[in-house]
Amino acid sequence: MNIAIVGLGLIGGSLLRALRAGGHQVVGFDADPGTRGLAGAAGFEVAADVARAVERAELVVLAVPLPALPGVFEQLAGHAGLITDVTSVKAPVRDLAVKHGVRRFVGGHPMAGKETSGFGATDTALFAGCAWVLTVESETDLPDWLTLATLCTELGARVVPASSAEHDRAVAEVSHVPHLFAAALALQLEDNPLAGALAAGSFRDGTRVAATRAELIVAMCGGNASEVDSALGRLIGDLEQMRHALGTDPGRDLTPAVARAGELRRAWPSSPGHPANMTATVDGLLDLGRAGGWVTRVAEDMATVETMRPESGRNGF
Amino acid sequence: MNIAIVGLGLIGGSLLRALRAGGHQVVGFDADPGTRGLAGAAGFEVAADVARAVERAELVVLAVPLPALPGVFEQLAGHAGLITDVTSVKAPVRDLAVKHGVRRFVGGHPMAGKETSGFGATDTALFAGCAWVLTVESETDLPDWLTLATLCTELGARVVPASSAEHDRAVAEVSHVPHLFAAALALQLEDNPLAGALAAGSFRDGTRVAATRAELIVAMCGGNASEVDSALGRLIGDLEQMRHALGTDPGRDLTPAVARAGELRRAWPSSPGHPANMTATVDGLLDLGRAGGWVTRVAEDMATVETMRPESGRNGF
């Protein structure tokens, strides 16, 4: 397949490597001449601008940060091929695609990353075993979705189908808000060296991602502000309930929530059950994602998918 | 030294092992006959009740859970020797000691632990490198404090001096509240398998201690309810500020807090500077603890201590 990748940072550059290793024709572009130089020196075909990168592409992967997406979409106005992206928020990107008249768009979000960034940190195996959301909406063209799912599963990813809205809510809960919790806990060290001297494992783990680059955390949370606000509001409500329980009878009032949290955490990640085949439909895929399941393979008929679901049904526990 | 240890769980039992390995005469007691049997079978002297355990003791270590402490203090009424404890909250234990007319009391809290518990999990090396708070109050008898500091440093611990109130505030911030944050994050998995399927590193780390046994978390937080309530209140205020920043201009309003959190986290744990000697005084020890410093050794004159402080002064950063 002819694939153009716009943006050659950690994700885009790793995709360039992984897709070429998978036998595809890839061409890359990055706004930064230094990055283009690195990719060229690594033996990749690199275009001088977006238009030239995408002219032969059956698939365009947008791997630029969210703030750069509007400019790239503008340059792609009228593009007839399939387009996907890899940013950590999906509803705003879907809106951009609609705004710029892109018809063949399927949003994507590979949940892969590491502490380092840039083309120098790229890794052919980055996507092996990671969850890769491909968005499913009422208007989704299933053949396009299955084409992308084929590529992602060939890279070793678990393809999780979800609507943009469901995706944005879930990542606010399990990824964006945890970064803000970690930051709040770490801020307690300000002018508080005694606390720093007494901090041990629970602090170390609970604050680890606070060390992520601030601009990444802010871009991630700011790009998903409405869902992060809702999730934070729910969590603050839970914390207020815990405060109340502490002030009454902790043994009676705090234990149920803490015990349930322990059960849920010990049951995570849930064990996958057995593979099963299903015919891909919009509703069937959305149900699969809501059940905590994913696609492991697309059959050659480009209509059937092999799926996995957590072992004990809908709750995954 | 003749030392009695009341309570032979993970901490008490490990102390029994470590102190005997250090050449002390130790005798243990546990309310549970099975635990007494295990300790006896491991070759330790085990008393049949508290009174017999402490009759020859120059030092009594209370290593029972907080709810069991009042009963043990009652049995120690009138005991003339030095008493310490190992529970995770210090002001309520100090109040109990005063209530039961114990005069020679120095509170302690070794910040050591592991996922397992009970005598079967005990470990001679449990205290090597751990922070061990020994409380310093205006009424503290320095020779008693230095006797305990000698023992703890001989076991490899860093002895952190702090008042009971300062200790309870600091552990609420860096240990107790992180457990509640982890529980709140983990509770988001309820009826939410899609979120569980998308959760990755930030969720894994931020919820790790939610898997701790619920009764331990509840006892820890409930025993320090007032400080945990205050710390939770401050953190909820910080989270509300972050929500506000998300709703205005995240780049401008959220970045400063997130960037500062990252600086504080990357600078933790702080590097110790060079060892220095000081004459132990109540005020000098409290200043050392407030600066994030600790005692590494007590000199033979039983008046001078070797100390370490974080490298760049009061803030530890």
Side-chain angles (χ1 to χ4, degrees):
Chain A
M1 196 173 188
N2 272 307
I3 303 172
I5 299 171
V6 179
L8 301 176
L10 173 65
I11 301 287
S14 295
L15 259 179
L16 195 72
R17 291 186 185 281
L19 290 170
R20 185 171 72 174
H24 298 280
Q25 301 294 319
V26 290
V27 52
F29 169 76
D30 195 282
D32 171 50
T35 299
R36 293 203 297 275
L38 281 175
F44 289 96
E45 185 184 342
V46 178
D49 54 41
V50 172
R52 265 175 277 190
V54 308
E55 63 190 1
R56 282 173 299 132
E58 298 157 85
L59 168 66
V60 178
V61 181
L62 307 181
V64 300
L66 187 61
L69 267 181
V72 177
F73 267 118
E74 220 149 284
Q75 296 177 68
L76 290 174
H79 183 79
L82 176 56
I83 299 178
T84 188
D85 75 314
V86 298
T87 44
S88 65
V89 60
K90 300 274 58 77
V93 178
R94 182 191 182 200
D95 293 345
L96 279 175
V98 169
K99 184 181 158 194
H100 289 91
V102 169
R103 279 148 312 163
R104 293 183 58 200
F105 178 76
V106 173
H109 179 201
M111 313 283 288
K114 34 183 197 174
E115 331 252 297
T116 47
S117 56
F119 189 83
T122 54
D123 176 359
T124 306
L126 187 67
F127 309 102
C130 86
W132 193 319
V133 174
L134 290 178
T135 58
V136 177
E137 319 283 356
S138 54
E139 75 270 17
T140 296
D141 181 73
L142 278 177
D144 279 348
W145 195 93
L146 291 165
T147 296
L148 276 172
T150 303
L151 279 182
C152 298
T153 52
E154 281 172 3
L155 301 181
R158 302 180 279 123
V159 172
V160 178
S163 72
S164 297
E166 288 170 325
H167 166 276
D168 290 355
R169 174 175 167 153
V171 294
E173 292 169 338
V174 296
S175 170
H176 302 169
V177 161
H179 282 82
L180 299 181
F181 266 43
L185 288 176
L187 283 172
Q188 296 183 120
L189 293 180
E190 191 79 80
D191 289 329
N192 200 3
L194 173 63
L198 299 187
S202 63
F203 181 82
R204 183 189 60 232
D205 293 340
T207 58
R208 196 186 309 270
V209 293
T212 308
R213 282 192 299 135
E215 56 267 42
L216 289 184
I217 298 177
V218 171
M220 206 160 71
C221 295
N224 197 18
S226 154
E227 291 294 347
V228 173
D229 179 77
S230 301
L232 261 181
R234 290 190 295 274
L235 283 162
I236 288 172
D238 286 354
L239 293 172
E240 289 287 10
Q241 278 193 21
M242 290 179 183
R243 281 181 88 185
H244 182 73
L246 273 174
T248 53
D249 180 344
R252 184 193 65 198
D253 299 339
L254 185 58
T255 301
V258 168
R260 182 63 184 144
E263 286 169 11
L264 290 164
R265 179 56 173 80
R266 283 186 291 270
W268 178 90
S270 51
S271 327
H274 301 286
N277 287 324
M278 64 176 244
T279 302
T281 63
V282 164
D283 288 343
L285 289 170
L286 286 173
D287 282 347
L288 174 69
R290 284 176 197 136
W294 59 89
V295 170
T296 53
R297 210 171 58 83
V298 178
E300 281 178 25
D301 66 5
M302 289 301 278
T304 309
V305 290
E306 184 187 85
T307 68
M308 296 287 267
R309 285 172 200 255
E311 221 157 27
S312 35
R314 194 178 169 282
N315 279 343
F317 308 110
Chain B
M1 197 171 188
N2 272 307
I3 302 172
I5 299 171
V6 179
L8 302 177
L10 175 65
I11 301 287
S14 295
L15 257 179
L16 196 72
R17 291 186 184 281
L19 289 171
R20 183 170 76 175
H24 299 280
Q25 302 294 318
V26 290
V27 52
F29 170 75
D30 196 282
D32 171 50
T35 299
R36 292 203 298 274
L38 282 174
F44 290 96
E45 187 185 340
V46 178
D49 54 40
V50 172
R52 266 175 276 190
V54 308
E55 62 189 2
R56 283 173 299 132
E58 298 158 85
L59 169 66
V60 178
V61 181
L62 307 181
V64 299
L66 187 62
L69 268 180
V72 177
F73 267 119
E74 220 150 281
Q75 297 177 68
L76 290 174
H79 183 79
L82 176 56
I83 301 178
T84 189
D85 76 312
V86 299
T87 43
S88 65
V89 60
K90 299 275 56 77
V93 179
R94 183 189 181 201
D95 293 345
L96 279 175
V98 169
K99 183 182 159 195
H100 288 92
V102 169
R103 279 149 312 164
R104 293 182 58 198
F105 178 76
V106 173
H109 180 203
M111 313 283 290
K114 35 183 197 175
E115 331 252 297
T116 46
S117 57
F119 190 82
T122 54
D123 177 359
T124 307
L126 187 67
F127 309 102
C130 86
W132 193 318
V133 174
L134 290 178
T135 58
V136 177
E137 319 283 356
S138 54
E139 75 272 15
T140 296
D141 181 72
L142 278 177
D144 279 349
W145 195 93
L146 291 165
T147 296
L148 277 172
T150 304
L151 280 181
C152 299
T153 52
E154 281 172 2
L155 302 180
R158 303 180 279 122
V159 172
V160 177
S163 72
S164 297
E166 288 170 326
H167 166 276
D168 289 356
R169 175 175 167 152
V171 294
E173 293 169 337
V174 296
S175 170
H176 302 168
V177 161
H179 282 81
L180 298 181
F181 266 43
L185 288 176
L187 283 171
Q188 297 183 118
L189 294 180
E190 190 80 79
D191 288 329
N192 200 2
L194 173 64
L198 299 187
S202 63
F203 182 81
R204 183 189 58 233
D205 293 340
T207 57
R208 197 186 309 270
V209 293
T212 309
R213 282 192 298 134
E215 56 267 41
L216 290 183
I217 298 177
V218 171
M220 205 160 71
C221 295
N224 196 20
S226 154
E227 291 295 347
V228 173
D229 179 77
S230 301
L232 262 181
R234 290 190 294 273
L235 284 162
I236 287 172
D238 286 355
L239 293 172
E240 288 288 10
Q241 278 194 20
M242 290 178 183
R243 280 181 89 184
H244 182 74
L246 273 174
T248 52
D249 180 344
R252 184 193 63 195
D253 299 339
L254 185 59
T255 301
V258 168
R260 182 61 185 146
E263 286 170 11
L264 290 164
R265 180 56 173 80
R266 283 187 290 270
W268 178 89
S270 51
S271 327
H274 301 286
N277 287 326
M278 66 176 242
T279 302
T281 63
V282 164
D283 288 344
L285 289 170
L286 286 172
D287 282 348
L288 175 69
R290 284 176 197 136
W294 60 89
V295 170
T296 52
R297 209 170 59 82
V298 178
E300 282 179 24
D301 65 6
M302 290 300 280
T304 309
V305 290
E306 184 186 86
T307 67
M308 296 288 267
R309 284 171 201 258
E311 223 159 23
S312 34
R314 193 178 169 284
N315 280 344
F317 309 109

